[in-house]
Structures are given as C-alpha cells and as structure tokens.
Amino acid sequence: MKKYILIVAIFFTVGIAGCKKDFLSQEVNPNSPSVTTPQLTLAGALATAATIINGGINFDYAQYGVWMQYWTNSGNYVPNAALDAFQINNTSFTQPFIDLYQNITNFNNLETTSATVPADANFQAIAMIMKVYDFQQLVDQWGDVTYSQAFQPSTILFPAYDSAQSVYNDLVKQLDAAISLINKSPGATNPGISDIVFGGNMVGWKKFANSLKLRLAIRQSTVNKANSAATDLASTASEGYLDGSTDAEANPGYSNTAGKQSPFWGNYGVDANGNPTFPNVYYRGNIFFIKALNSYNDPRLTSVYYGTSASNGATIGGNAFGDPQGSPTVLSNPSTSGPGPGLLISPGQNAVLFSGAESLFLQAEALLDGYSVSGAATTPATAQAAYQAAITASFVALKAGTTVSYDPATGLPAAVSYPSAATSTALAVTYYSQNIANVGWAASASNEQKAIIYQKWIALVGYNCLEPYLEYERTGFPVLPNPVSKDPTAVSPTLPIRSYYPQEELTTNGAQLAKVGTINIFTTKIFWEQ
Amino acid sequence: MKKKLLILFCVSILLIQQAFAQNRTVTGTVTAKDDGQPIPGVTVKIKGTNTGVQTGTNGTFTISVPTGGVLVFSFVGYTTALVTVTGPVVNVIMEPASTALGEVVVTTSLGIKHTERDLGYATATVTPKELTATDVTNIANGLTAKVSGLAVYTLDNGVDPNVSVVLRGNRSLEGNNSALIVVDGVPIPGGTLSSIDPNDVADVTVLKGASSAALYGSEASNGAILISTKRGSTAGKPTIVYENSVQAERIAFYPKLQTQFGTYGGEGGAYVDPLTGFSRYVPYENQEYGPAYDGSMVQLGAPIGSATGPVDMVKYSPYPTSPIEAFFQTGITEQNDISYQEGDAKNSFYMSAQNVYRTTVVPNDKNVKYAFSVRGHRTYGIFSVDYSAAYTKTNISTYNDGTTNGIPGSFVSNAGANSLYSSILQLPAFYPIEKFKDPEGFYGNPNDFPDAYAINPYWVIDNSRRDIQRDVLLSQLKLRLEPTKWLDASYQVSDNFGINQERDTKAEVDFSPYAISDYFHAGNVPSGFPTGKSPGFVSDFYAYGDGNGEGAGSFYPGDPGYSRIEGDAILDFHHNFFNNNFKPSLIIGNSIRQQYLKEMVTSSNQLLVSGFYNINTIGGLINAAEDSYVINNIAYFGDLNLGWKDYLNFEATIRNEQDSRLSKAERSFYYPSAKLSFIPTDAIPGLKDNKILSYAKLYASVSRVGNIDIGPYEIYNTYGVTGGFPYGSLGGLSAGTENFSPTLKPELTSEVEFGAELQFFNSRLSVNATYYDQHVKNQTVPINTTVSTGYSTSLLNIGETESSGEEVQVTGQVLTQAQNKFGWALGANFSNNLSKVISLLPGGQPLSLGNNEYAVVGQPFPLLEGSDFVRDPQGQVVVDPVTGYPSQKQTLTIYGRTTPQYDLGANSTFSYKWISLAIYAEYRGGDVLDNGLGGTLTFTGAGLQTAQAGRQVFVYPNSVIQTGPNTYVKNTNVNVENGNYGFWQQSVWSSTMSPFVTSGAFWKLREVDLSFNLDKFIKGSKFMRGATFSLTGRNLFLWVPKTNYWGDPELSNASPTSNLRGVNNDGQTPETRVFGGSLKVTF
C-alpha cells in the first residue's frame, strides 16, 4: 500500500517540480520594451512631429493646401464633398487632432521623466518646446482643448477642456521656462544625434522657442495687440530668432527606402519603386496660385510645379497649368501640373518644422507692430530688412531659378537643373525690387502687413499648408476667389474658419465636450480670429 | 524533449503488437430489437468469471468459452440477456429495458465517466454516426443543428473555411466566447479542431454551460466540447474499415443580379445624351448604370495593343449564364479513410490514415490533407497506459486577394485593392468572360483588360497566390495506477503543437507605354504605374503554435493559435458504503500547462528577378518582424461527488488557478461549482413503473468561473519603434496607444442552471429542458478614451452583461422498425438566448465593438447601429419635395442584435429494411444582418435591387413629404430626380445603412443522408464483414426573407475569434451546396 502512495506522490512531485520558480512571472514583454531612453523618445517624437506638418501620417493638412489655392483635386477622381463643397462633419479632417495628441504624449513622457534627472535638462527643455509647437496647432484649429487635465490616464479618463486663451498663456510660460532651463543647465547631457533638428545645438532650440513665442504673440495681435505673449517678447528677445541661416528642419537620415523617405517626398512624391504616391496624382496645380505667381513675375513658379505632360495630345511641356478649386469641369492629369522640383528635391530632403522665411516674416510683422524683438545681432533692424530677408530665404529654400527639361516625346520631365544659392538670392533681390504691390516693400506702402502675409503665403507653399490658412483666417490675406470653391454644391462661399472636434472625441469625452458649446465651422471663432 | 516523447510513443506501439491470446471461439452478432441494428459495445461475459469482450462496430463478438457455458450480454438501456452456448455461433437480440433509464455513461470533465442520471447540468452527446453522416471534413460542421444551444458559425466558404463554435450565445463583450475543445480529457488549441479526422471520433459530449465545465477552469467558461477518440475495438478480432467518399460543391446562393443594363459610371459629357439626359454606353466602365441591352455590336475597352490596334466588338446583350456565375466551377472533395483496430477487454490498438483532396468553386484553389493517428491502451496488472498520437499535414493553395492581413495581393487600382469576389462582381452581364481565361489571349494581358478600373479575376487567381503548409501533432500519454479498489491515480502529459507556414506571392506586372498613356484618359489602372512596373511581392510567414492560427502579433492579427504542453495529475478516491446506497467519490488533481507561440514574417516588394520569390534576392531592405508569447498556468482542483441510492446526487467542485497573464497580486483565483440531480421516478414509490412517465430527472447547478481575457503581457505599457526608424544607427521609440494596468482581473461568469429531463411512453418520447442565467462581471474591455489621456484605449475591468435562455431537446420514436418494419424518429432542439448589457463605464458612451456593432446599456449585444433616413413618426421615409430623394438622419438607428436569438434544429430519420434516411434542418432568427455586399452591388450596379424601377424615375416607396413642423403628407407624385446613377449612386441612398439591413433569419436544409446497409448482400464473403453505401448532401437548400437580395446570413466579415457576426461584405465567397456519395467497407 505504501508503495502505491509513494508512486502517487511521485506523480505529483514530478508535476509540480516541473515549474521553475518564475514560471508564473511573465511580466517582461519579449516583443516590445517597457522602458525607453530620452534619446530614443526624443528622436522618435521629433520625427513624428516633422511628419505631421510635412504631409502627415494621413495627408494631414492637405485640405488647407487646396483651400489656400496651392492645389486642387484631380479630375481623375470623384469630387470630394468635404474638400470642395465644405460638407464637413466630425469625421472630416480630424486626423491631426489624434496625431498631435499622440505626439504630445511622447513629449510629455519625455518631459516628465527628464525632469527627475537634472542631467537630462536639455531633453526636458526640448520636450517643453515641442509640446508648445504641437499644442499651438491644436488650439489654432480647435480652440478649447484638453490641457491641464490631459495625460493622466490612470486618474482622469474624461479631462476637462481649457479655454484656448488660457492654453496660449501657459504655452508662453512654458517657452520662457524652457529657455531658462537651457540657460541654467550648461553641463546637461547633450542630446547629440538624437536631436534630429539641431544636432544638440541648444542655441538653435532657444531660437526655435523664441520664434514660437513670436508666433503666439503675432497670432493674437490682430484682435489684441497688447496681448500677454507680445508684452513678454522683450524678456527673451536677446536669444534671437530663426532665420535664413538657422531654421528648424528635421532629418534623422531620410533615404529612398520604403518607409524612410522624407515625409513630404513620401507623401507627395514617388514611392521607393518610382511610382507616384496617391497625393502626387491627386493634388494638382491650382490656377489661382499659378496666376498669382505669374502676375508677380515670380521665378519660384517652376520650383512649385512641374510642367504639364500633355494637352489634347500636343506636347506643351514646361507650362504649369491647373484647375480652380471645386471646378465642375476638370482637366485630366496629363493636362495639369503636379508638385514641382523645388518642393520635391530628393527623398532625403529635410523636413521643415519652422522655416527661416516664416520666422523672418513674423519678425517683420513684429517690427511693423513695434514689438520688442530686437536684442540679438541676427535680428533684422527694420521690418523691410526682415521682409526682404524672408523673401530671400524662401527663394533659396525653394531653389528659385530651377530649370527643367522635358522629354519632347512624352512631355514628362527629363532633367532638373538647380541653381546655386547665390543665383536664387540674386533672383530674390530682383524680385522684391519690383514696383508691384505685395512684392516690393515701397510699392506696398501702408499695406505692409498685407504684403508680408501675401509673401508668407507664397513662401510656405507645399511644406506647411496650415500656417498660411491660419494667417488667412487672422488677416483675410491673400484675398481668395469669391466663391472660393467653384463646386455648385458648396455649402459656403467662404472657407471654414475652424475644425470640428473629431467623432472620437464626441464618443469618448462627450460630456466634457458639451461644455465647450455648439460648434459651427463657419461662425464659431477661435479667440484670435477677427 | 519532443524527440524523446516520440520515441516513447513508438516503443509503446511495438509493445502492443504482441499477439493477443487465441483460443477456441464462439462468434456472433448482437442486434437490438427496437430497430434491428447491430449494437456495438455490448459487454459479453462468461457467467461466473471476469472474462469478457465487447462487441465491435458491427455488433459482432468473438469469445473463447467452454461448451455449455453461459454468456451474459449487457448493455446500458437494454435488458441483460443470458444465453447458453450450444454451437459455434450465438446471435442475440436484445430488448430495450425500461428500468435502465439514465444509465447512459457520459464522459465529463477530465475524462471522468458519470452515468447520465448523476449529472446536475445539461449535456448532449453526438454519436459518430450522426457526426460523420455526411462526410464532413471538420468536426464542427458535423455538430451543426444537432445540439440545442450550440451554434456553429461557418463564416466563409473558402478553401480554408473559418468555423467557430459558440455555446449559449455571447457572454463576453470583447473576449473569447468560443467553446473549449477537449480531446480525450485534455484541452487542445481551438484552431486544431479542423485537423482531427472526424472518423477517429468515438463520441462527442457537449458541456453547455460554465458549471458543467468548471473543472477545466478559466478556459471553459464558455462551455466545452469533449471529444473521445477511438482506442481500438475490444472484440478480440482485428477490424479494418475503409471508406471512400466523393462530394461535389456548387455555389448555391448568388446575390440577385440584374441583367438588363450595361456600363456607365457617371462620366457625363459626351456619354450623356444631350436631348434625353440618358446615359450612353461607356466602353471602359466598371459600373453598370448604362443603357439597356439591345443586342447591338459595341466596342469593348480600348483598341488592343496600341491606339491603332484592333477593336474588339461584342454583342451588347447578356449571356445566359452571367460572367459572375461562369467564373465559379464545381469543387470536388474526395476522402479516403482507412482504419485498423483490434484488442480485447484489457488491451487495444487503433490506427488510421486519411487523405482529403479538395478543390473548391474558385479555380486553382486546393486543399490537400493527410492525417495519421495511432492510439491504444494497454494494461499491466494495476498499471495501464493509454496513448495517442495524431499527425496531420495540410497543404492549401489559394488565391490571395489582398484583403487579409494587409498583404497586397492584386495590383492596386485607383479604387484600391479589390477582393477577388469584388472583381468578379464588377463583370457586367455582357462581358465575354471566355476571353479572359487565357493568359496569352486578348484580355489575359493586364495591359489590355477592357475595364479601366478593375483587374482580370483570372489574373488574380493565376498570379496572386497564398500557399500554406500546416503540420500539426496532437499527442498524449496517460499512465494510470489502480492500486486498490478505492483509488485510481493517473498522470497524463499532452503535447499539442503545429507549424504553420505561409507564402504569399504576387507577380510583377509590366505595363506598356500604350496602356500607361490611358487611351480614354479615364485614369485607368496602368496609368498609376508610370515607371511601367507594378512590383512583385513575396511574404513568408512562419509560426510555431497550434499550426493553424494566423498569429497574435501586430502584423498578423487573428486567432492566436498557441502550442500547448500540459501535465495533469489526478487522484480519484471512490468507495461505496451502506449496501452501495451511499456512493461518495473525491477527485483531487493538479494541472500545469504552458502555451507558446512564436511567429516570424519577412516580406519585400523589391524582387530583383521577376517571378523569383526569395527574400535573399531583393533590392532594398527586408521587412521583417517577430513576436513570441507565453502563457503559463498552474491549477489545483477538487471534485466531491455524493450519490445516494441512484436517485440523488450532489457534486461540488473547486479549482484554484494561477496564471502568468495576471500580475502577482491578481494572479491566484478560485472558482467553485455545485450541482444537484434528483430522479423522482426512482425516489418516489408512486411514480415508479408509470406507464406514461417512464423517467424524470430534475437538476440544478450554480457556478462561478473566471475567464482571462487579457493577452500575455497586457498589464504593462510598452514602447514601439517609431514609424520609419531606425535610420542607420539612430533608433526611435514611441509610447503604445493602449493603456494597460497591472490591476486587471479575470472576467467572472456566474451561472445558475436548472432543468428537467423527462421520458414518456417507455422512453419513446424524451424531453430535456434547461434554463440558464449567466452574469459576467469585470468585463475586460478596451475602452476608447480620448487621445488626450495619452492613450486611445484603456484596457479596463468594467461593466456587466447578462445572458439567459432556454434550451429544449425533444426526441421521439414515432414508429419502431422492430414493430412496424418502418422506423421513423423525429428530433428537435430549440434554444432561445437573451443577452443584455447591464452596465458599462460610468460616464462613458456605448462601447464600439467594430463593424458598426456596439454594446449599449439595456440592449442585447452585439447590437447593430447605423445610418438611416429621416422618417416621420410612422417610420415612413421623408423625401425632398423637389428632388424626391431621402435624406440621412444625423443620429444612428439601432437595428438589433447580430447573433441569432432563436436556433431551431430539426431532424427526422426513416428506416426501412436496409435503407435509412436522415434529414437535418436548421432555423436561426431574431437577428439582423448588415449586407455590406449590397454596397458593392450598388456601386457596380450589378445588384437586382438597383434595377427594381427599371432605372426610370419613380416615387420612393412609402415616402412622405414634410409640409409643416409635424405634418407629413403621403408622397404620390414626386419622382426621384434621376432614377439611374443619380439616385442609386449619388444620392444618400447608397451611403445609408438601412437599405442593406435585413432580417438575419434563415432555414437551411443542413444534411441529408440516404444510406444503404449492404451487409446482407455480402453475407457469404469470408473477409468482408460489412458494407454501407450512402448518398449525402449538405446545405442543399436555403430559405431567406424576400428582402434579403444578397446571400447567406451565416457568412460574416469577422474572424472566428471575434464576437461580431451579421455583417458581410465581398470578402466571403458565397454559400455552397455539397452533394455526393460514399462507400464504407468493413473487413
């Protein structure tokens, strides 16, 4: 009998002894790490921020490119009612809201974890600056957003919305704090190559932060010239601003490999196999912008658009042509222009976060408004100097003077010849010396702000379609066609002035969102809109 | 380790091959008096000894016995017969016994055998004959319509069909609701069910509820299906069975299609008659909103080869067989099965081999399966060993239409990648499909396909392939000791694993400059490839797991098919007291298991050599990914059973489980169950020997079971590589989008069940009725959270659901063959399932489950919600007083639950002499169906629905016009503005869900089996002992409500592990009808 019990006992022992002590401890995920480093988070989050503004994860902001008359949609496709007729609902153009918050989550994590390690001060400061960069995009498109109660998933599942103005006010404070943190942490770890924007040059980050503060101030200036951001400009003016020699461009090492192309190229250019991407085929030259550049004798036209390949079988290579927005009678793609060689330079091109031209235009407007932005040697002394430096920076960036030769048989581009920076600079001087309103400074006398906005509209073509749209909503410039869309079913002759909150926000945070009130995208203003 | 295990198996098999003792023998056949059929499994013992055998499959036995000895024949449900041996042949006819009711032995959890009368919960058994009557290749299909409360969903009819088995409806909102599959006492990975040869099955027991399966723990909260496999006969004489079956399948139910109108797709301009405004024929369109067919000759597509090439003129009239129907062929399934078995009361051996060769309705598709198994049992004194090894190899070759797993199957057109079926549905009725077949022919060349926006479906099936190879091994070894009469000890180890290898390939296409130049300037497919090259593609997927699952990783979402190694130690104490009136037993045990899955994928679309598919020969970088998952689990359990006088039985179980998916603090949990059964017909003297009520049993049970709906590692947040990274040596990480928490707990299912089993008129009528009520708390649900919390979803334990219902199973022997020559049995099973969401996240919104299905507090789940038209209070559609078009309501409309509420299975068996006919039919209803297929057919204009009004203007049926704030008048004269493309395509009609929502109800004639027992014709044969010929059919007819234009409500655009049903699209090939015959010979 005992023998049997022994055997039985052995059965059980064998079974239980089969387990190692940690048999049940499987917390470590073998597939994804549960820890990160400041370097890894920084590089990833900066690259994502650059992708959002350069065509996006899902062509974010492409609609603003159409509305600002850079592009129109292809005649090869069924018209898009949201794009052309402004039949917009909670699912139209809402992707940036999600992309931006996901991006901020990573910067927020970086800020929180770096704050506990004094040596990581530079990472903390960059994270604070980039949160401002992302949050401004959110506020400018949606107004009130969740801010003070955001990013606390274990305690607050339904964060309240903060007023747009209060978020703006705090963003300025964050920028000041970031600049001060960099200044008082000279011995902190340098982010090095994980800083894919300035390569660890913290002076660049201070200029970026200062330029963002300038943008926050100028944005409010039309409705409130003495806004708190504007009055705070003087405190950091000596740090200087981005310009033609220092601008904010990201490049982690883009190359012509699937998934690793520069985001603008990858979105609007051709894929690694040489076939055009969907937006390249879909977003075609807009006749309004083409005519505007022609009327200003603007040599950037051949940079912005390629010539059409064919029209009714005849080869007219080299001529940019397009449709107006929402045209009911549209041309097929061979008869319209696609994105040009000054925008699509190479699959490895930098992704612009904040261009030198934009910063200089902001400085020009600040100087025009009498804001205290001087103090650094690099800051232009006058509004005119800043304006002309901005145009020059744009000419160089867009490679004004680019020539393209076309295959006479097919009408397709055969070779692109880019000018030197000096050539583009010389063309800029010729250009802004013209006695044409909105081009020459003197010719725009007493309408200088209009000229600045017009030129900013031209300078920001392609890369950053959001900013010209916001500036249009602030200033009313450029004057767009009326009605802006030729689509006969358009529900409004004018552009929407803001965005709807996404459907996801309605279903996940509806009670809080209800407190924001009813949104009408044609009448519910963001606080800085006049 | 695995190697050693295999060797062990081989050794065991050799041992069994020792000769069985031979002696002078008596042979005979045992048949039943009621139906005249032979009875297998009858115990034949020599009176006064323990020597005995059991009858084989044909009721035959062979036993060595001294002349003049007495043989005792006993079998549950029959009166024991005593026969004195007088000659070499003893044939016995056994009479059904009324006293033996409820004595049927049922295999329950852990392989424990109970008599049916002891069970305090609902079970059902399916015999091998019922299971394999129509030669199913998957066991699940053989269970369809045979058990109340058991729903088998065949989600598509492809070469590799997805099947899911659900008991008592859904109870978990987002977690697993599928029944646990247990083979010979050990759970197997759910995906491997299809690899088991149905002919190896000895019997199937269905444990419907959580209570009955409580001993299996968290895996069995959805009930369990227990499959016992054959272990060899005990008849002492070797038996060989060979069966061949051949079945053909055809598509049974096409969506209703129009054959009146040809191609036009809103081109406008020159394609519209300026006078009448009617559309003209467009030679390159894929939409069918053109002029009516008139038999004229029209140009099809662009000139062939060049702008000056030949023009193909075709007749503008429909073909008698639509190109859609012409594309599909007849599929053939041929099965060859052979099995060998022998053994006696102590030792047995079984061996089988199966080959299934299947082609389907889609040309080029093939599924070839080879299955081998060896099983047996051997006893050495108090020690016995039981073993089983089954190996299955499956090779599948099918088209890859790019709709699964995000793999680009077809080259991408303007409209995106199309599924194969969608490409077929874009073939207008006048298309000369014969010209499409030849790859060297007119339209075989992608450059010259006439339709500018679609691709040749024959190109897809020739050039875009998925080849799958699956190797599955299910193995078990059980050692058992019976040291005393009151104790059994056993240890069982099982190792079930498989390797799934898939290769997806797509051929490169080289477009000619002429094709790219886009003759019609239509924006055709080739113009999207100005380089002239649509690249080829190769993807290799390798998974070590259950051999079937498509993996759990982010790159291959689907059924996570884990391999599984398990060891179970069980001590079984049992002794009877007080003159056998008190029968207590106690089982205690321990179970340790490990589930493991590893998967890898590599892919590239930069092949260096066109048509050479190897990841070593590419340009650019390899896309590669790998994932692995482990689940470890330790459980201790106990089962106390107390029986009193065969009429009162109480059972209590408890199980403690510790699972590696949970954090240390939450890891250990208990679940108890208690069951009671009572037989009043035995307990109450007044009810004994009642002429009407022959048997009654009342039973009740309560249980609480945990269900871990948390994947491995889903308790801590992780970071993933940021898109595009790494760039050189620079890495980037981003936070995941789902928030996890170490405080997550298992879902808790509490179940109450009670029922009654009644038998009347000498058991010719039996009724088994059950009521159950289940509450599931702590639903583990990924709640969508505002992205401003930092995460798009948070996995939380929230909410409660209720699922309750009734199940009734009725069987009746109307006529018995023994008494009436003609036998007729009727059976029916019915289930009614009510589900309700009791609570969700406070302050939260309805939970989106995907596919427009939701969980809404107070409503059944999953619930279909979607867009609808603006309607008046009477529900009539409000149309615009000018355009006559309806408009869309801003809020969503609730349409109803998408899983059937009612399920009725009905069967009837007739037998006359040596012929028998079995028929199974099934009704399901109480649910709604969102026919996504209707959207595709409206887009193409091929659907009959779009031609209802002859493409003329019409008054929207039952519509009203709003004339004041709350006043509506019937619309009698406002026609829709445009009765063609304008209404069907451009108005909100086609983008609204309601036109495509129908009842999900259907009646299906599931199985018909006409079989001929040919035994009497081969009586003289020395080596042939039995033969049966059958004519079989499955899914022969389908009846659906008239409003359902589209197809089989059973098909669903959902993975088997998803809980969503009732939403179809063009990703499922249509329902097929199967018919054929089989011949079974026993030697």
Side-chain angles (χ1 to χ4, degrees), chain B residues 1000-1020:
Chain B
F1002 67 84
W1003 263 109
K1004 246 184 209 187
L1005 184 55
R1006 289 279 187 193
E1007 294 189 348
V1008 174
D1009 170 32
L1010 178 63
S1011 77
F1012 306 91
N1013 186 336
L1014 307 178
D1015 289 1
K1016 62 185 292 186
F1017 301 102
I1018 52 160
K1019 256 184 181 163

Side-chain angles (χ1 to χ4, degrees), chain A residues 192-215:
Chain A
I193 59 158
S194 72
D195 170 9
I196 62 170
V197 179
F198 294 108
N201 175 8
M202 297 312 292
V203 174
W205 279 107
K206 288 195 288 181
K207 288 186 171 185
F208 187 17
N210 219 17
S211 304
L212 282 171
K213 192 159 103 180
L214 183 55
R215 193 199 258 175

Side-chain angles (χ1 to χ4, degrees), chain B residues 123-126 130 142-152 166-167 206 208 766-770 806-812 826-833 901-908 919-925 1003 1006-1007:
Chain B
T123 61
T125 51
V126 178
E130 290 168 322
L143 297 173
T144 308
K146 287 167 189 164
V147 176
S148 66
L150 180 147
V152 178
V166 175
L167 289 163
V206 180
K208 293 178 185 176
S766 85
V767 178
N768 194 344
T770 314
E806 300 87 35
E807 290 155 354
V808 181
Q809 193 126 7
V810 180
T811 53
L826 278 173
N829 58 73
F830 172 75
S831 64
N832 172 30
N833 170 272
Q901 182 186 342
Y902 311 108
D903 194 336
L904 174 64
N907 61 74
S908 181
I919 297 169
Y920 291 89
E922 185 178 20
Y923 168 83
R924 289 185 193 171
W1003 263 109
R1006 289 279 187 193
E1007 294 189 348

Side-chain angles (χ1 to χ4, degrees), chain A residues 1 3-5 7-9 11-12 14-20 22-37 39-45 47-48 51 76-78 89 97-99 101-102 105-106 109 113 146-147 149-154 156-159 161 193-196 251-261 263 271-276 278 281 310 312-313 332 334 412 504-511, chain B residues 382-383 414 453 479-481 483-484 486-491 517-518 521-523 527-535 569-571 588-590 592-594 605-606 620-621 623 626-634 636 658-664 667 712-720 722-737 739 783-792 794 796 841-846 981:
Chain A
M1 186 59 220
K3 191 170 69 181
Y4 303 136
I5 290 168
I7 292 168
V8 169
F11 276 167
F12 271 79
V14 167
I16 295 158
C19 318
K20 280 177 284 176
D22 59 351
F23 185 71
L24 291 170
S25 295
Q26 298 291 330
E27 285 92 348
V28 179
N29 187 329
N31 307 314
S32 312
S34 50
V35 291
T36 181
T37 66
Q39 283 82 0
L40 291 168
T41 300
L42 180 65
T48 306
T51 301
N76 286 8
Y77 292 84
V78 174
N89 61 26
F97 187 95
I98 293 154
D99 293 343
Y101 266 111
Q102 281 176 348
T105 301
N106 286 288
N109 289 349
T113 52
T146 51
Y147 184 78
Q149 295 188 357
F151 309 116
Q152 299 169 53
S154 52
I156 303 178
L157 285 180
F158 305 109
Y161 286 73
I193 59 158
S194 72
D195 170 9
I196 62 170
N251 198 332
Y254 297 128
S255 65
N256 194 27
T257 308
K260 297 187 194 300
Q261 294 178 320
D271 66 21
N273 281 313
N275 290 316
F278 170 73
V281 178
N312 296 328
S332 63
L412 292 168
E504 290 86 348
E505 204 61 9
L506 274 174
T507 56
T508 58
N509 202 13
Chain B
I382 59 159
F383 180 74
N414 280 347
Y453 308 109
L479 309 171
R480 191 156 174 263
L481 263 183
T484 71
W486 51 269
L487 172 65
D488 289 351
S490 65
Y491 185 74
S517 78
D518 192 3
H521 291 296
S527 69
F529 300 90
T531 60
K533 186 168 123 179
S534 166
I570 294 172
L571 289 177
I588 56 171
N590 159 256
I592 299 168
R593 74 167 196 267
Q594 177 164 67
N605 68 348
Q606 290 180 288
L621 298 174
N623 293 316
E626 64 123 358
D627 271 321
S628 64
Y629 302 88
V630 171
I631 299 171
N632 289 337
N633 186 294
I634 300 176
Y636 300 91
Q658 296 163 56
D659 194 283
S660 68
R661 283 167 290 183
L662 302 164
S663 67
K664 199 167 184 183
R667 188 171 290 153
Y713 325 120
E714 285 190 346
I715 51 173
Y716 294 104
N717 289 336
T718 58
Y719 297 88
T722 312
F725 281 84
Y727 293 95
S729 60
L730 180 65
L733 290 179
S734 302
T737 57
N739 187 34
I783 288 287
N784 290 328
T785 51
T786 164
V787 71
S788 66
T789 61
Y791 298 91
S792 308
S794 253
L796 301 175
L841 178 66
Q845 300 281 326
Y981 193 78

